[in-house]
Amino acid sequence: MTINEIAGLAGVSRATVSRYLNQGYVSEEKRERIRQVIDQTGYQPSSQAQTLRTRKTKLIGVIIPKIDSYTVSCMVQGISPALAKSGYQLLLANAEDDEQKELDHLKLFREDHVDGVVLIGTIFTRKHFQVLKDYQVPVVILGQRLSVCSCVYQADREAAKELAGRLLRKSRCLCYAGVTLRDQAVGMDRREGFMEACLEAGRTVEAGQMMEVSFHVDSGRRAAADFLARYPEMDGLLCATDDIAVGAILYLKQQGKRIPEDIQVAGFGDTLMAQIVEPNLTTVHYHYKTSGEEAARLLVGLLEEETKVRRELKMGYEIMERGSTL
Protein backbone atom coordinates (compact mmCIF):
# COMPACT_ATOMS: atom_id res chain seq x y z
CA MET A 1 0.00 0.00 0.00
CA THR A 2 1.40 3.38 -1.05
CA ILE A 3 0.43 7.02 -0.43
CA ASN A 4 -0.90 7.18 -4.01
CA GLU A 5 -3.20 4.22 -3.35
CA ILE A 6 -4.39 5.73 -0.06
CA ALA A 7 -5.13 8.99 -1.91
CA GLY A 8 -7.10 7.14 -4.60
CA LEU A 9 -9.21 5.20 -2.11
CA ALA A 10 -9.92 8.33 -0.05
CA GLY A 11 -10.65 10.47 -3.09
CA VAL A 12 -8.03 13.10 -2.20
CA SER A 13 -4.71 14.19 -3.61
CA ARG A 14 -1.36 12.63 -2.74
CA ALA A 15 -0.31 15.96 -1.19
CA THR A 16 -3.33 15.89 1.13
CA VAL A 17 -2.39 12.42 2.38
CA SER A 18 1.18 13.59 2.91
CA ARG A 19 0.00 16.58 4.96
CA TYR A 20 -2.23 14.27 7.03
CA LEU A 21 0.65 11.90 7.82
CA ASN A 22 2.92 14.79 8.80
CA GLN A 23 0.32 16.52 11.03
CA GLY A 24 -0.29 19.32 8.52
CA TYR A 25 -3.61 21.06 7.91
CA VAL A 26 -6.31 18.90 6.34
CA SER A 27 -10.05 19.67 6.45
CA GLU A 28 -12.04 17.58 8.91
CA GLU A 29 -13.99 15.85 6.12
CA LYS A 30 -10.87 14.77 4.19
CA ARG A 31 -9.08 13.84 7.44
CA GLU A 32 -11.90 11.46 8.34
CA ARG A 33 -11.88 9.83 4.88
CA ILE A 34 -8.13 9.29 5.01
CA ARG A 35 -8.34 7.92 8.55
CA GLN A 36 -11.01 5.41 7.55
CA VAL A 37 -8.94 4.15 4.60
CA ILE A 38 -5.83 3.78 6.81
CA ASP A 39 -7.83 1.91 9.46
CA GLN A 40 -9.35 -0.43 6.87
CA THR A 41 -6.08 -1.16 5.05
CA GLY A 42 -3.75 -1.22 8.05
CA TYR A 43 -1.37 1.13 6.26
CA GLN A 44 1.82 1.99 8.17
CA PRO A 45 3.95 4.90 6.92
CA SER A 46 7.68 4.21 6.53
CA SER A 47 9.53 5.36 9.64
CA GLN A 48 12.68 5.87 7.56
CA ALA A 49 10.82 8.06 5.09
CA GLN A 50 9.30 10.10 7.91
CA THR A 51 12.72 10.54 9.46
CA LEU A 52 14.11 11.83 6.18
CA ARG A 53 11.23 14.27 5.78
CA THR A 54 11.04 15.57 9.34
CA ARG A 55 14.63 14.90 10.51
CA LYS A 56 13.05 13.37 13.62
CA THR A 57 13.62 9.78 14.73
CA LYS A 58 11.14 9.90 17.67
CA LEU A 59 13.82 8.11 19.69
CA ILE A 60 15.10 9.29 23.08
CA GLY A 61 18.31 7.94 24.59
CA VAL A 62 18.21 7.33 28.35
CA ILE A 63 21.56 6.71 30.05
CA ILE A 64 21.47 5.13 33.52
CA PRO A 65 24.38 4.57 35.94
CA LYS A 66 23.41 0.99 36.78
CA ILE A 67 20.56 -1.39 36.04
CA ASP A 68 20.09 -2.86 39.54
CA SER A 69 19.20 0.37 41.33
CA TYR A 70 15.81 0.90 42.99
CA THR A 71 16.15 4.65 42.51
CA VAL A 72 17.00 4.35 38.81
CA SER A 73 14.19 1.87 38.15
CA CYS A 74 11.67 4.28 39.70
CA MET A 75 12.93 7.10 37.50
CA VAL A 76 12.72 4.97 34.35
CA GLN A 77 9.17 3.95 35.31
CA GLY A 78 8.34 7.64 35.14
CA ILE A 79 10.29 8.42 31.97
CA SER A 80 9.00 5.63 29.75
CA PRO A 81 5.21 6.27 29.79
CA ALA A 82 5.70 10.04 29.64
CA LEU A 83 7.76 9.68 26.47
CA ALA A 84 5.32 7.15 24.96
CA LYS A 85 2.43 9.54 25.58
CA SER A 86 4.17 12.08 23.35
CA GLY A 87 4.98 9.50 20.66
CA TYR A 88 8.64 8.88 21.56
CA GLN A 89 10.40 5.56 22.11
CA LEU A 90 13.07 4.95 24.72
CA LEU A 91 16.56 3.54 24.08
CA LEU A 92 18.15 2.48 27.37
CA ALA A 93 21.93 2.44 27.91
CA ASN A 94 23.55 1.10 31.09
CA ALA A 95 26.85 2.79 32.03
CA GLU A 96 27.60 0.20 34.77
CA ASP A 97 28.93 2.92 37.10
CA ASP A 98 31.69 3.65 34.57
CA GLU A 99 32.24 7.32 33.69
CA GLN A 100 33.90 6.47 30.38
CA LYS A 101 31.00 4.24 29.35
CA GLU A 102 28.68 7.13 30.09
CA LEU A 103 30.66 9.31 27.68
CA ASP A 104 30.71 6.51 25.11
CA HIS A 105 26.92 6.22 25.30
CA LEU A 106 26.55 9.98 24.81
CA LYS A 107 28.71 9.83 21.70
CA LEU A 108 26.87 6.76 20.39
CA PHE A 109 23.47 8.41 20.81
CA ARG A 110 24.74 11.51 19.02
CA GLU A 111 25.93 9.39 16.08
CA ASP A 112 22.68 7.41 15.97
CA HIS A 113 20.70 10.65 15.70
CA VAL A 114 18.34 10.37 18.65
CA ASP A 115 16.11 13.40 19.11
CA GLY A 116 17.20 13.94 22.71
CA VAL A 117 18.83 12.38 25.76
CA VAL A 118 17.91 11.95 29.43
CA LEU A 119 21.08 11.37 31.45
CA ILE A 120 20.71 9.99 34.96
CA GLY A 121 24.20 10.96 36.05
CA THR A 122 26.18 10.73 39.26
CA ILE A 123 29.74 11.96 38.64
CA PHE A 124 30.48 14.60 36.02
CA THR A 125 34.04 15.13 34.81
CA ARG A 126 35.52 17.87 32.64
CA LYS A 127 34.99 15.59 29.65
CA HIS A 128 31.30 15.38 30.50
CA PHE A 129 30.98 19.15 30.58
CA GLN A 130 32.76 19.50 27.25
CA VAL A 131 30.66 16.82 25.54
CA LEU A 132 27.41 18.22 26.93
CA LYS A 133 28.33 21.79 26.07
CA ASP A 134 28.84 20.87 22.40
CA TYR A 135 25.98 18.34 22.15
CA GLN A 136 23.79 18.68 19.07
CA VAL A 137 20.44 17.60 20.59
CA PRO A 138 18.67 18.60 23.83
CA VAL A 139 19.83 16.86 27.00
CA VAL A 140 18.06 16.76 30.36
CA ILE A 141 20.06 15.75 33.42
CA LEU A 142 18.06 13.79 36.00
CA GLY A 143 19.23 13.60 39.61
CA GLN A 144 21.92 16.29 39.48
CA ARG A 145 21.98 20.05 39.02
CA LEU A 146 24.24 21.09 36.13
CA SER A 147 24.78 24.55 34.66
CA VAL A 148 25.22 23.39 31.05
CA CYS A 149 21.91 21.53 30.64
CA SER A 150 18.29 21.57 31.68
CA CYS A 151 17.87 19.40 34.77
CA VAL A 152 15.51 17.84 37.28
CA TYR A 153 17.07 17.22 40.67
CA GLN A 154 16.28 16.46 44.32
CA ALA A 155 16.44 18.80 47.32
CA ASP A 156 19.27 16.76 48.83
CA ARG A 157 20.85 19.49 50.90
CA GLU A 158 17.58 20.63 52.43
CA ALA A 159 16.45 17.07 53.15
CA ALA A 160 19.74 16.16 54.83
CA LYS A 161 19.64 19.29 56.95
CA GLU A 162 16.09 18.62 58.14
CA LEU A 163 16.67 14.93 58.86
CA ALA A 164 19.97 15.58 60.68
CA GLY A 165 18.25 18.28 62.70
CA ARG A 166 15.64 15.80 63.88
CA LEU A 167 18.29 13.28 64.92
CA LEU A 168 20.27 15.94 66.77
CA ARG A 169 17.35 16.63 69.09
CA LYS A 170 17.95 13.29 70.82
CA SER A 171 21.55 12.47 69.87
CA ARG A 172 24.64 13.74 71.66
CA CYS A 173 27.12 12.10 69.27
CA LEU A 174 25.80 11.97 65.71
CA CYS A 175 27.98 10.49 62.94
CA TYR A 176 27.56 10.59 59.17
CA ALA A 177 28.31 7.84 56.63
CA GLY A 178 28.42 9.48 53.19
CA VAL A 179 29.68 8.65 49.73
CA THR A 180 32.27 10.16 47.42
CA LEU A 181 32.15 13.96 47.19
CA ARG A 182 32.61 13.65 43.43
CA ASP A 183 28.89 12.86 43.43
CA GLN A 184 27.44 16.35 43.90
CA ALA A 185 23.95 15.34 45.01
CA VAL A 186 24.34 12.22 47.16
CA GLY A 187 27.94 12.96 48.13
CA MET A 188 28.44 16.70 48.54
CA ASP A 189 24.92 18.09 49.03
CA ARG A 190 23.82 15.56 51.65
CA ARG A 191 27.03 15.97 53.64
CA GLU A 192 26.73 19.76 53.56
CA GLY A 193 23.15 19.50 54.78
CA PHE A 194 24.36 17.36 57.69
CA MET A 195 27.07 19.87 58.56
CA GLU A 196 24.67 22.82 58.37
CA ALA A 197 22.30 21.11 60.81
CA CYS A 198 25.16 20.48 63.24
CA LEU A 199 26.31 24.08 62.96
CA GLU A 200 22.82 25.46 63.66
CA ALA A 201 22.50 23.12 66.65
CA GLY A 202 25.81 24.39 68.03
CA ARG A 203 27.49 21.00 67.61
CA THR A 204 31.15 20.66 66.71
CA VAL A 205 31.74 18.05 64.00
CA GLU A 206 35.07 16.27 64.17
CA ALA A 207 36.63 14.86 61.01
CA GLY A 208 36.26 11.36 62.44
CA GLN A 209 32.49 11.75 62.70
CA MET A 210 32.18 11.77 58.90
CA MET A 211 33.23 8.97 56.58
CA GLU A 212 33.09 8.22 52.85
CA VAL A 213 31.98 4.70 51.94
CA SER A 214 30.52 2.93 48.92
CA PHE A 215 26.81 2.60 48.16
CA HIS A 216 26.48 -1.01 49.33
CA VAL A 217 25.05 -2.72 52.43
CA ASP A 218 28.46 -4.15 53.39
CA SER A 219 29.93 -0.64 53.50
CA GLY A 220 27.26 0.25 56.07
CA ARG A 221 28.42 -2.62 58.25
CA ARG A 222 32.04 -1.45 58.03
CA ALA A 223 31.11 2.18 58.67
CA ALA A 224 29.16 1.28 61.82
CA ALA A 225 32.08 -0.81 63.08
CA ASP A 226 34.59 1.98 62.45
CA PHE A 227 32.40 4.62 64.09
CA LEU A 228 31.82 2.51 67.19
CA ALA A 229 35.57 1.93 67.51
CA ARG A 230 36.23 5.68 67.30
CA TYR A 231 33.19 6.87 69.25
CA PRO A 232 31.83 4.25 71.69
CA GLU A 233 29.39 6.91 72.84
CA MET A 234 27.83 7.28 69.36
CA ASP A 235 24.04 7.44 69.71
CA GLY A 236 23.06 8.54 66.20
CA LEU A 237 24.07 7.62 62.64
CA LEU A 238 22.87 9.34 59.48
CA CYS A 239 23.64 7.46 56.27
CA ALA A 240 23.66 8.88 52.73
CA THR A 241 21.62 5.95 51.36
CA ASP A 242 19.18 3.37 52.69
CA ASP A 243 21.54 0.51 51.75
CA ILE A 244 24.29 1.96 53.93
CA ALA A 245 21.81 2.49 56.77
CA VAL A 246 20.47 -1.08 56.53
CA GLY A 247 24.02 -2.45 56.70
CA ALA A 248 24.70 -0.31 59.76
CA ILE A 249 21.54 -1.52 61.52
CA LEU A 250 22.42 -5.17 60.88
CA TYR A 251 25.91 -4.71 62.35
CA LEU A 252 24.77 -2.67 65.36
CA LYS A 253 22.13 -5.25 66.26
CA GLN A 254 24.79 -7.99 66.08
CA GLN A 255 26.78 -5.97 68.61
CA GLY A 256 23.83 -5.93 70.99
CA LYS A 257 22.86 -2.32 70.32
CA ARG A 258 19.18 -1.45 70.53
CA ILE A 259 17.78 0.57 67.62
CA PRO A 260 16.74 3.31 68.31
CA GLU A 261 17.10 3.28 72.11
CA ASP A 262 20.91 3.08 72.02
CA ILE A 263 21.60 4.38 68.51
CA GLN A 264 19.25 6.13 66.10
CA VAL A 265 19.80 5.33 62.40
CA ALA A 266 18.36 7.06 59.32
CA GLY A 267 18.92 7.03 55.56
CA PHE A 268 17.79 8.41 52.21
CA GLY A 269 15.71 6.93 49.39
CA ASP A 270 12.76 5.14 51.01
CA THR A 271 13.67 1.90 49.25
CA LEU A 272 11.97 -1.46 49.79
CA MET A 273 14.80 -2.49 52.13
CA ALA A 274 14.01 0.50 54.35
CA GLN A 275 10.51 -0.90 54.89
CA ILE A 276 11.66 -4.50 55.43
CA VAL A 277 14.57 -4.09 57.86
CA GLU A 278 13.68 -4.36 61.56
CA PRO A 279 13.07 -1.81 62.92
CA ASN A 280 11.78 -0.08 59.79
CA LEU A 281 14.12 2.68 58.68
CA THR A 282 13.45 6.39 59.06
CA THR A 283 14.36 7.82 55.68
CA VAL A 284 13.85 10.58 53.13
CA HIS A 285 11.28 9.80 50.46
CA TYR A 286 12.08 11.37 47.09
CA HIS A 287 9.50 11.40 44.30
CA TYR A 288 11.72 9.49 41.88
CA LYS A 289 8.99 8.30 39.51
CA THR A 290 7.53 11.79 39.30
CA SER A 291 10.96 13.27 38.69
CA GLY A 292 11.36 10.85 35.76
CA GLU A 293 8.03 12.00 34.36
CA GLU A 294 9.05 15.64 34.77
CA ALA A 295 12.40 15.03 33.04
CA ALA A 296 10.63 13.41 30.09
CA ARG A 297 8.11 16.26 29.86
CA LEU A 298 10.89 18.81 30.06
CA LEU A 299 12.78 17.13 27.23
CA VAL A 300 9.67 16.79 25.05
CA GLY A 301 8.98 20.47 25.66
CA LEU A 302 12.49 21.40 24.53
CA LEU A 303 12.04 19.28 21.40
CA GLU A 304 8.60 20.45 20.39
CA GLU A 305 9.06 24.09 21.30
CA GLU A 306 12.45 24.02 19.57
CA THR A 307 13.93 26.33 22.19
CA LYS A 308 17.39 26.18 23.71
CA VAL A 309 16.40 27.95 26.92
CA ARG A 310 17.86 26.06 29.89
CA ARG A 311 15.31 25.02 32.49
CA GLU A 312 15.56 23.33 35.87
CA LEU A 313 13.19 21.83 38.41
CA LYS A 314 13.94 20.99 42.04
CA MET A 315 11.69 18.27 43.42
CA GLY A 316 10.22 18.08 46.90
CA TYR A 317 10.67 15.35 49.52
CA GLU A 318 9.06 13.80 52.59
CA ILE A 319 10.69 12.46 55.75
CA MET A 320 9.26 9.05 56.62
CA GLU A 321 9.63 8.61 60.39
CA ARG A 322 9.73 4.96 61.35
CA GLY A 323 11.05 2.75 64.12
CA SER A 324 14.80 3.39 63.73
CA THR A 325 14.60 6.85 65.31
CA LEU A 326 13.12 8.21 68.53
Side-chain angles (χ1 to χ4, degrees), residues 12-288:
V12 299
S13 69
R14 184 183 189 283
T16 300
V17 176
S18 180
R19 286 199 305 275
Y20 173 89
L21 294 174
N22 290 286
Q23 289 78 51
Y25 173 75
V26 178
S27 69
E28 194 60 39
E29 178 192 354
K30 292 180 179 179
R31 180 178 294 276
E32 180 61 21
R33 279 153 50 190
I34 296 170
R35 185 192 65 76
Q36 288 181 2
V37 170
I38 289 176
D39 286 347
Q40 292 169 2
T41 61
Y43 171 76
Q44 290 290 333
S46 166
S47 60
Q48 290 183 331
Q50 285 188 316
T51 297
L52 288 172
R53 285 194 302 270
T54 65
R55 296 185 179 180
K56 298 289 186 181
T57 64
K58 305 299 284 186
L59 297 175
I60 300 297
V62 178
I63 303 174
I64 63 173
K66 56 183 178 179
I67 201 76
D68 59 343
S69 165
Y70 173 81
T71 298
V72 170
S73 67
C74 289
M75 291 178 176
V76 174
Q77 285 175 28
I79 295 170
S80 184
L83 290 178
K85 186 176 181 180
S86 296
Y88 291 89
Q89 292 183 318
L90 178 154
L91 294 178
L92 197 64
N94 179 19
E96 299 177 351
D97 280 330
D98 187 319
E99 297 159 29
Q100 185 56 51
K101 284 188 178 181
E102 212 166 67
L103 291 168
D104 291 342
H105 290 319
L106 279 169
K107 293 174 182 176
L108 180 63
F109 279 146
R110 181 176 58 196
E111 293 167 0
D112 283 351
H113 307 296
V114 296
D115 292 342
V117 172
V118 176
L119 172 56
I120 305 176
T122 53
I123 296 173
F124 291 89
T125 64
R126 289 183 179 179
K127 288 183 178 179
H128 281 79
F129 280 93
Q130 188 59 52
V131 170
L132 292 169
K133 183 180 178 181
D134 299 332
Y135 218 63
Q136 300 301 309
V137 298
V139 177
V140 171
I141 304 298
L142 178 52
Q144 300 280 351
R145 186 183 184 190
L146 236 63
S147 61
V148 295
C149 296
S150 293
C151 52
V152 177
Y153 61 100
Q154 313 301 331
D156 288 292
R157 189 168 182 162
E158 296 88 340
K161 181 178 178 180
E162 182 178 348
L163 183 52
R166 296 191 187 194
L167 293 175
L168 285 166
R169 294 171 193 165
K170 296 184 179 180
S171 290
R172 296 183 303 276
C173 181
L174 178 63
C175 295
Y176 177 72
V179 299
T180 174
L181 299 183
R182 296 178 66 207
D183 183 323
Q184 179 65 42
V186 181
M188 181 67 78
D189 289 349
R190 292 181 189 178
R191 191 183 80 156
E192 289 186 350
F194 165 78
M195 294 176 68
E196 285 181 13
C198 291
L199 181 63
E200 288 191 5
R203 303 288 186 88
T204 300
V205 181
E206 298 179 2
Q209 287 177 254
M210 296 184 292
M211 182 187 306
E212 287 184 28
V213 299
S214 69
F215 285 83
H216 307 296
V217 171
D218 285 344
S219 68
R221 295 177 185 270
R222 292 191 293 270
D226 288 346
F227 279 133
L228 271 185
R230 298 178 193 177
Y231 301 97
E233 72 278 17
M234 177 180 71
D235 58 359
L237 177 58
L238 178 58
C239 302
T241 72
D242 284 352
D243 282 359
I244 298 171
V246 167
I249 286 176
L250 295 176
Y251 175 82
L252 292 171
K253 288 171 67 176
Q254 287 175 350
Q255 301 306 305
K257 299 293 184 180
R258 298 173 302 161
I259 311 295
E261 292 84 359
D262 297 330
I263 302 177
Q264 298 187 88
V265 181
F268 292 79
D270 196 16
T271 63
L272 295 176
M273 290 186 68
Q275 301 172 46
I276 293 173
V277 70
E278 182 59 38
N280 294 167
L281 181 66
T282 292
T283 182
V284 175
H285 175 84
Y286 292 115
H287 303 285
Y288 289 125

